[in-house]
Amino acid sequence: MTRERPTTFAASITVEPHANSAHQEFEADVEHLCADGVSITYRSGTRLESTVLAIDTMDFRVHRGELVCIVGPSGCGKTTFLNAVAGFLPITGGRLELEGKPITGPGPDRAMVFQNPSLLPWRSALRNVTYGLEMSGLMRRKPAEKRARELLEMVGLDDFIEAYPNKLSGGMQQRVNLARALAVEPELLLLDEPFASVDAQTRETLQAELLRICKQTGVTALFVTHDITEAVYLGDRVCVFSSRPGRVICDIKVELSTSRDPRSRRSAAFIAYIDEVAEALVTGSGNRGRDDNEPRECR
């Protein structure tokens, strides 16, 4: 399937209250993404013998229906791991599987949402959303248009279906990109710092919109961010990566009894989670005296 580099989304909504999940009750016993002892090495510079170990024997799990956030210092391999899951980058050791099948390349079962908008300027919002369906041959034109209209309505752009990118705000362009990623009905949605380029107010709106869409569609999501508050707000779990070579040093299950709305960010429980993630990032270890290679499962 031919892919572009998409981005993100938005709309102002209220997220329904929940107990232990950011967007839905996930299937805790259904292992969706599995990484066992994964290592990723790539060549650096012009010398062929010069290599960088980006990920070192990482173990990682995502269950079906979860939204898992990854945080870590710059250069720790977060995006590298996401690219490997997307099938853009081969692993050099270990096992990486989706639904029990090895990931050997890109596929329609995964969709990537990147940081910067990448809409085709000569296509309307509708035609940008149908692009992946057209390239893959998954649907004929009429059914593809129907699905695109439904998705644009879902992300709050039903009044801008025929608008071209230069007539859309940055947040609107991001919504089109999310709709385009969802058009192929992926089993796993991969998001690489999708809200980093927008202002704070728009960012909070987009976060709430992502939660609503994940709840509505039931899609599993893996979300990379540098923002600790964003990770705690969105994630069913927050996985903290070590500095390069990356590995999981702390796996925090986020259990908030209140709904994920702006008020929840001021709760004592929310702030405690932020402190826990921040401590792991600052100390470079979430193990507190345990074997450094064994990630700590929190709460």
Side-chain angles (χ1 to χ4, degrees):
M1 174 181 174
T2 302
R3 289 188 180 272
E4 294 182 278
R5 291 171 62 94
T7 336
T8 17
F9 23 100
S12 179
I13 47 83
T14 300
V15 182
E16 297 179 7
H18 58 282
N20 296 325
S21 172
H23 56 282
Q24 64 177 34
E25 291 297 323
F26 54 85
E27 300 176 55
D29 295 329
V30 181
E31 198 169 89
H32 192 59
L33 176 70
C34 173
D36 275 333
V38 167
S39 295
I40 303 174
T41 303
Y42 60 86
R43 291 190 175 92
S44 176
T46 56
R47 299 174 59 189
L48 294 180
E49 67 274 17
S50 179
T51 60
V52 173
L53 178 61
I55 299 292
D56 185 20
T57 57
M58 176 184 291
D59 294 329
F60 191 91
R61 300 287 188 278
V62 177
H63 294 98
R64 189 179 298 159
E66 277 189 305
L67 196 165
V68 177
C69 290
I70 298 174
V71 299
S74 295
C76 71
K78 302 184 298 296
T79 296
T80 297
F81 180 68
L82 208 66
N83 283 333
V85 174
F88 301 151
L89 187 67
I91 63 174
T92 51
R95 179 171 62 100
L96 184 61
E97 297 179 344
L98 184 66
E99 288 292 319
K101 298 178 181 178
I103 294 174
T104 58
D109 52 357
R110 285 147 288 149
M112 193 81 155
V113 178
F114 292 87
Q115 178 177 334
N116 297 312
S118 61
L119 300 180
L120 300 175
W122 59 88
R123 280 180 168 247
S124 66
L126 180 71
R127 295 296 177 209
N128 268 284
V129 175
T130 61
Y131 180 79
L133 295 171
E134 293 171 13
M135 293 298 99
S136 65
L138 291 173
M139 287 185 181
R140 293 184 179 274
R141 180 170 178 172
K142 291 298 183 182
E145 288 182 0
K146 181 176 183 293
R147 174 154 180 77
R149 289 178 184 274
E150 292 171 350
L151 288 167
L152 287 168
E153 182 177 356
M154 180 191 295
V155 298
L157 289 177
D158 43 316
D159 291 334
F160 296 89
I161 286 175
E162 298 301 333
Y164 286 82
N166 66 344
K167 300 299 183 182
L168 301 174
S169 69
M172 289 177 175
Q173 290 185 37
Q174 291 171 322
R175 297 185 212 185
V176 175
N177 272 323
L178 177 61
R180 181 170 57 184
L182 292 172
V184 295
E185 298 185 311
E187 296 179 15
L188 183 61
L189 187 63
L190 306 169
L191 305 106
D192 189 9
E193 298 192 69
F195 308 137
S197 61
V198 299
D199 63 86
Q201 185 175 355
T202 302
R203 187 173 188 141
E204 288 192 8
T205 301
L206 296 175
Q207 291 166 357
E209 183 69 358
L210 175 62
L211 288 178
R212 183 185 69 83
I213 290 171
C214 286
K215 182 180 179 67
Q216 184 172 338
T217 63
V219 68
T220 306
L222 192 56
F223 189 105
V224 166
T225 179
H226 278 99
D227 188 323
I228 297 174
T229 300
E230 180 172 69
V232 173
Y233 181 75
L234 291 175
D236 295 307
R237 287 164 43 216
V238 178
C239 292
V240 181
F241 277 24
S242 68
S243 56
R244 193 176 67 228
R247 54 185 174 78
V248 179
I249 57 174
C250 193
D251 189 341
I252 301 170
K253 185 177 181 181
V254 179
E255 297 179 303
L256 295 172
S257 59
T258 60
S259 61
R260 303 287 171 96
D261 60 32
R263 291 169 297 179
S264 69
R265 300 172 192 263
R266 300 191 294 270
S267 70
F270 192 93
I271 294 170
Y273 281 118
I274 291 175
D275 290 344
E276 188 168 15
V277 175
E279 180 184 353
L281 285 169
V282 169
T283 62
S285 173
N287 301 307
R288 297 177 185 172
R290 296 178 61 187
D291 183 346
D292 230 20
N293 290 317
E294 183 181 356
R296 180 169 58 90
E297 293 188 4
C298 309
R299 300 179 191 271

